Amino acid sequence: MRTSSRRSGRLVAFAAVTALATSLLAGCSSDDDSGSEGGDGKVTLNVGTFGVLGLKQAGLYAEYEKSHPNIKIKENVIERNDAYYPKLLTQLQSGAGVNDVAAIEVSNITEVVQTQAAKFEDLSKAKGVDKSTYLDWKWKQATTDDGKTVGLGVDIGPTALCYRKDLFKKAGLPTDREELAKEWAGDWDKYVDVGKKYMKKAPDGTKFVDSASSVYNAVFAGAKERYYDKGGKEIYEDSQGRKDAWDAAMKVAQGDMSSKLKQFDPTWDQGFANAKFATVACPAWMAGYIQEKTGPEGKGQWDMAKAPTDGNWGGTFLGVPSAGKHKKEATELAVWLTQPEQLAKVFAKQASFPSTPSAYDTLKPSPATKAYFNDAPITEIYADIAKNTPSAIYGLKDAQIGQSITDIGVLQVEQQGKSPAEGWEAAQKEIKDVLGQ
Amino acid sequence: MSETAEYAETASPGEGDAAPAASGRRKASPTSSWRSRLYRWDIKASPYVFVAPFFLFFGAFGLFPLLYTGWASLHRLELTNLDDSTWLGLENYTNLLQSDYFWNALGNTFTIGIISTVPQLAVALGIAHLLNYKLRGSTLWRVAMLAPYATSVASASLVFTLLFAWDGGMVNWIIGSVGIDPVNWRESSWGSQFAVSSIVIWRWTGYNALIYLAAMQAVPHDLYESASLDGASRWQQFRHVTIPMLRPTILFTVVVSTIGATQLFGEPLLFGGTSGSKGGADHQFQTLGLYLYDQGWINGHLGRASAVAWLMLVVLLLIAAVNLLIARRLRKAQ
């Protein structure tokens, strides 16, 4: 009797485990299905992105799904590129779990072109792609020496300065965008001088900029000489562009003009919401960010002026990994998403600036975005900057070198009170480690 | 082995009566010999088949990665090109042993491990002792203890990051109300380590308390009775009855917590925010786990990252050896 009851207990347990296992397996397999083909025979295309690319926000996926009833689009977002990019590399190497369409940040594009080209579809020959619609330098950045294009340009990052009119007014500074642009035109030192004036009468608890790194990146965006020379050799130590950017950042850090927030941290987001800083370097993609993070209270308070120098900070490409399950459909989607008329829609919604000049005449920010930035002529400002941006040479480890400088070097001076010399030394040491030297 | 098989064969149903002639008959009849061979196979092989899943999984997810990591640590292997590796011998290891970042990470792992494990276990012991009394709503308290453990690392770390924000964070606000200057928790060396430890302590104290509680409830009640008859106070009972009886459990939690502390990763990574794998501008809270991640996935040097992994294993083995020695000492002392 006792044995039989024990046995029946065991049977129940066994049944429970089996049921659990089957349901788990079922769960897995249904997940797999959604990754390729759903029960309704639809093809699901996964689009991997970092941050806010704006394609979804502008309603492009919904529009595409409507015109292609057999397609379902799923966007897999990772907040930051420094977490997204290693994952992309891993997926490319293993060939497993790749997104059908993958976003690539401009600071990684050289490495992708030089080391991963074999793992991407050649989009230069895809149907509907017209090389002449894209900015020439943008096209070249994503193309190998033998003419294989691994990514189509989505947005570029012409960089202006966004500033809070209300805080400027309280600090007794001019608030007119033309006037401000003239005041600091051509020289970042003049921008720092405006900062000094601001700090003299700064409204309580506010600083002139969000972070010294933001200034570093804005200045560096206009650099003619970056971290690598044409031959792919690192020149970050002596690069004039790097030095100028570093010096400007040091002036801001040591002049106590910065809120000392690390960009893209939650506390930085709070800084936007609580109006903690008066200016922020404003590449086009940042404009959408500002609207999202500052919220409705910031409407009409933010304005936008040309920065001392014109430059490009950031930008994105869309590539189609060869290991994807639906390469044909994915290529069609990537091509469609990067057409001028689609990118114009993203600009309207998110102010991300298209890499297709033919769209520039039709660009119109949405009334809400325009009102948010106090009716600034967003299109004209960004288009003008985009035209005057020097063509830049990107290198293998641009992203990691830049991160070492801002997140180690600049931050040590800004937040740990070290001297600029110590900060630069720490950054150099970090870069050597990054490069494996 | 063969003897048991022989015995089993003879005892099998249907052949029992022919037991004495078993060996002779096996040659005579092919069918029965086939069956008996099958049976012998069954006896021999079945146990292996039953335990096979564990070994297969262990081989695939335990042994193979371990060996592959060892192989990778002897090569230059880049994340951007896994098909291409060059033999380096021990160069990755010598580079690491000469790297300030590695020793810094090792030191941080050690200090954060100490300041998170020691208070955590001490507090857990105290909490368990309190929960062991007859309490109203004791189940509620016990479940509440486990709630932090059930929270994900990500959400816990995010909340603590905001609490420890140097500008507008709650911790600075509280210490500010008693007149202390705000501390830049993330960028100061001890401040960041304290903040990271606090996340660990918050998450794991309740978990350890429940383990202690379970062990305490297994302590025979008459020990306490006789102790109180002898006039021992609650505190004396705790020191002279509870703690000695809990010694194996304490040792277990120490070992588990030490392993956890050595592998500490999620909390400092998320506490660091953007580029969290650096562990702060001066690597002031970069643990070995973060250093490994930074080398492998941010910088793309998988060979070096593998070497870090193996050195971590060595560190763990050393700690295990020390633990073993202490445990043996304790046993002798008893």
Side-chain angles (χ1 to χ4, degrees):
Chain A
M1 190 59 207
R2 194 178 284 167
T3 32
S4 87
S5 86
R6 203 197 283 161
R7 193 179 289 167
S8 72
R10 236 185 252 168
L11 261 178
V12 170
F14 179 72
V17 168
T18 321
L20 195 67
T22 355
S23 68
L24 278 177
L25 287 174
C28 291
S29 66
S30 75
D31 266 2
D32 280 349
D33 282 347
S34 73
S36 52
E37 264 137 279
D40 44 7
K42 279 189 182 180
V43 172
T44 302
L45 295 177
N46 286 291
V47 182
T49 69
F50 51 89
V52 183
L53 200 51
L55 302 173
K56 187 180 185 180
Q57 286 78 358
L60 293 185
Y61 298 153
E63 197 182 326
Y64 193 79
E65 282 172 355
K66 217 171 187 185
S67 60
H68 297 73
N70 63 323
I71 302 278
K72 255 186 78 183
I73 300 170
K74 200 175 142 223
E75 190 176 72
N76 304 315
V77 189
I78 292 179
E79 179 77 14
R80 302 189 322 251
N81 186 48
D82 64 343
Y84 167 84
Y85 181 63
K87 196 170 174 189
L88 173 67
L89 282 183
T90 320
Q91 290 166 343
L92 289 174
Q93 292 300 317
S94 67
V98 290
N99 287 299
D100 299 286
V101 177
I104 307 161
E105 220 270 343
V106 62
S107 58
N108 300 123
I109 193 71
T110 309
E111 188 167 68
V112 171
V113 164
Q114 290 187 8
T115 65
Q116 311 296 312
K119 297 192 156 63
F120 279 95
E121 295 293 286
D122 183 4
L123 296 175
S124 66
K125 293 179 189 93
K127 211 178 114 200
V129 171
D130 180 3
K131 184 183 164 184
S132 66
T133 56
Y134 300 92
L135 284 166
D136 190 42
W137 54 266
K138 184 87 172 171
W139 181 269
K140 276 184 192 149
Q141 278 174 348
T143 305
T144 62
D145 290 340
D146 48 6
K148 181 174 181 182
T149 302
V150 299
L152 297 173
V154 184
D155 68 325
I156 57 174
T159 306
L161 277 169
C162 288
Y163 64 98
R164 280 195 78 117
K165 224 176 41 151
D166 52 340
L167 296 182
F168 265 52
K169 199 172 176 186
K170 277 183 202 158
L173 292 173
T175 56
D176 180 61
R177 64 183 80 90
E178 302 280 336
E179 207 178 320
L180 281 171
K182 240 179 239 158
E183 189 157 345
W184 56 50
D187 192 347
W188 283 90
D189 276 347
K190 293 185 193 163
Y191 167 78
V192 175
D193 289 340
V194 175
K196 282 178 192 155
K197 278 186 215 157
Y198 179 90
M199 290 314 295
K200 269 183 201 139
K201 281 176 73 184
D204 261 2
T206 70
K207 300 279 177 175
F208 186 55
V209 292
D210 60 327
S211 63
S213 300
S214 155
V215 174
Y216 176 89
N217 283 322
V219 182
F220 192 67
K224 291 189 183 69
E225 232 181 6
R226 291 172 57 94
Y227 301 130
Y228 288 81
D229 69 6
K230 267 186 188 156
K233 201 173 140 266
E234 304 112 26
I235 50 162
Y236 59 90
E237 283 179 60
D238 302 315
S239 147
Q240 193 57 45
R242 196 279 303 162
K243 279 182 185 163
D244 293 345
W246 176 265
D247 291 343
M250 289 304 109
K251 279 174 195 151
V252 167
Q254 296 203 302
D256 194 27
M257 293 177 205
S258 133
S259 287
K260 301 186 186 177
L261 297 166
K262 214 166 153 192
Q263 291 202 316
F264 306 103
D265 266 0
T267 47
W268 184 64
D269 294 352
Q270 286 183 327
F272 273 112
N274 301 330
K276 288 273 189 190
F277 43 84
T279 65
V280 61
C282 210
W285 47 264
M286 186 76 88
Y289 217 98
I290 293 174
Q291 292 174 67
E292 196 178 305
K293 299 299 176 187
T294 314
E297 305 91 73
K299 190 183 168 188
Q301 304 300 348
W302 281 101
D303 206 323
M304 188 184 291
K306 277 194 72 179
T309 52
D310 294 324
N312 183 79
W313 173 8
T316 319
F317 299 84
L318 284 185
V320 176
S322 301
K325 280 182 198 147
H326 308 287
K327 282 178 285 195
K328 193 174 140 275
E329 290 87 346
T331 307
E332 280 168 13
L333 175 66
V335 170
W336 185 83
L337 286 172
T338 55
Q339 293 299 307
E341 53 272 36
Q342 266 62 259
L343 295 181
K345 287 172 204 157
V346 179
F347 177 79
K349 177 77 186 152
Q350 212 68 31
S352 292
F353 207 72
S355 46
T356 49
S358 57
Y360 292 176
D361 298 334
T362 62
L363 285 186
K364 277 192 196 72
S366 70
T369 302
K370 212 165 150 55
Y372 203 90
F373 289 97
N374 193 32
D375 292 321
I378 296 177
T379 316
E380 289 78 5
I381 291 177
Y382 282 136
D384 189 36
I385 298 169
K387 260 181 245 155
N388 295 319
T389 299
S391 70
I393 298 162
Y394 284 82
L396 269 186
K397 297 279 181 186
D398 263 341
Q400 291 91 334
I401 293 177
Q403 205 179 42
S404 303
I405 293 175
T406 55
D407 293 354
I408 300 287
V410 175
L411 212 61
Q412 284 201 2
V413 179
E414 188 182 24
Q415 297 208 6
Q416 299 186 330
K418 300 207 173 150
S419 73
E422 284 174 312
W424 175 242
E425 201 177 309
Q428 262 181 312
K429 194 175 152 193
E430 183 76 28
I431 294 171
K432 293 225 162 73
D433 194 58
V434 166
L435 300 174
Q437 289 167 346
Chain B
M1 186 64 203
S2 71
E3 242 175 330
T4 23
E6 206 83 3
Y7 171 73
E9 181 192 310
T10 50
S12 62
E15 282 184 297
D17 52 333
S23 54
R25 259 180 60 181
R26 207 188 302 153
K27 271 174 197 152
S29 151
T31 43
S32 81
S33 110
W34 166 240
R35 272 181 67 190
S36 66
R37 205 176 299 158
L38 203 66
Y39 195 81
R40 219 160 9 142
W41 254 90
D42 182 26
I43 295 278
K44 272 188 183 167
S46 295
Y48 293 106
V49 174
F50 287 138
V51 295
F54 167 77
F55 286 100
L56 287 176
F57 274 98
F58 175 73
F61 299 106
L63 196 62
F64 171 72
L66 190 75
L67 295 177
Y68 182 77
T69 310
W71 176 85
S73 73
L74 301 173
H75 290 75
R76 183 191 307 283
L77 189 65
E78 295 289 305
L79 180 59
T80 47
N81 191 356
L82 287 182
D83 303 327
D84 183 32
S85 58
T86 33
W87 171 258
L88 285 184
L90 290 174
E91 203 180 308
N92 280 326
Y93 290 95
T94 51
N95 278 344
L96 274 182
L97 295 176
Q98 284 162 10
S99 156
D100 294 345
Y101 297 136
F102 174 76
W103 291 107
N104 170 62
L106 185 65
N108 288 343
T109 308
F110 189 70
T111 49
I112 295 177
I114 297 274
I115 59 177
S116 60
T117 309
V118 174
Q120 181 197 131
L121 294 183
V123 172
L125 205 55
I127 291 177
H129 186 62
L130 290 178
L131 284 177
N132 203 20
Y133 288 130
K134 278 212 171 66
L135 278 177
R136 200 178 284 219
S138 59
T139 319
L140 183 79
W141 292 115
R142 287 169 196 174
V143 172
M145 282 295 106
L146 211 54
Y149 170 68
T151 328
S152 78
V153 194
S155 44
S157 303
L158 191 66
V159 170
F160 274 79
T161 307
L162 291 174
L163 290 179
F164 281 107
W166 80 274
D167 185 22
M170 199 144 101
V171 178
N172 273 346
W173 178 67
I174 290 171
I175 64 170
S177 67
V178 293
I180 303 171
D181 282 342
V183 175
N184 189 339
W185 291 101
R186 186 156 77 189
E187 290 308 326
S188 77
S189 163
W190 65 269
S192 59
Q193 299 204 355
F194 173 80
V196 170
S197 315
S198 70
I199 311 175
V200 180
I201 292 171
W202 183 80
R203 279 195 74 225
W204 289 93
T205 302
Y207 174 82
N208 283 308
L210 286 193
I211 292 180
Y212 288 148
L213 180 64
M216 277 178 193
Q217 296 194 328
V219 177
H221 203 70
D222 34 344
L223 280 178
Y224 290 107
E225 255 167 45
S226 53
S228 67
L229 277 179
D230 289 342
S233 70
R234 287 265 195 205
W235 171 244
Q236 282 169 327
Q237 287 177 26
F238 178 68
R239 272 193 57 199
H240 298 290
V241 180
T242 313
I243 298 277
M245 293 300 285
L246 246 54
R247 200 167 276 160
T249 315
I250 293 174
L251 196 70
F252 167 77
T253 55
V254 167
V255 171
V256 170
S257 303
T258 313
I259 293 174
T262 314
Q263 297 174 334
L264 188 64
F265 174 71
E267 287 89 347
L269 179 78
L270 294 163
F271 182 69
T274 46
S275 66
S277 63
K278 306 276 182 214
D282 203 12
H283 299 255
Q284 66 271 15
F285 56 93
Q286 188 176 45
T287 59
L288 279 177
L290 282 191
Y291 185 60
L292 185 157
Y293 180 74
D294 194 46
Q295 284 300 330
W297 307 103
I298 303 297
N299 300 345
H301 308 315
L302 286 181
R304 282 193 87 179
S306 306
V308 178
W310 266 81
L311 287 177
M312 274 173 83
L313 180 70
V314 171
V315 169
L316 274 176
L317 289 177
L318 280 177
I319 292 172
V322 171
N323 256 317
L324 200 71
L325 278 178
I326 295 175
R328 208 174 274 168
R329 248 310 142 73
L330 282 177
R331 217 171 292 144
K332 264 186 200 157
Q334 262 183 338

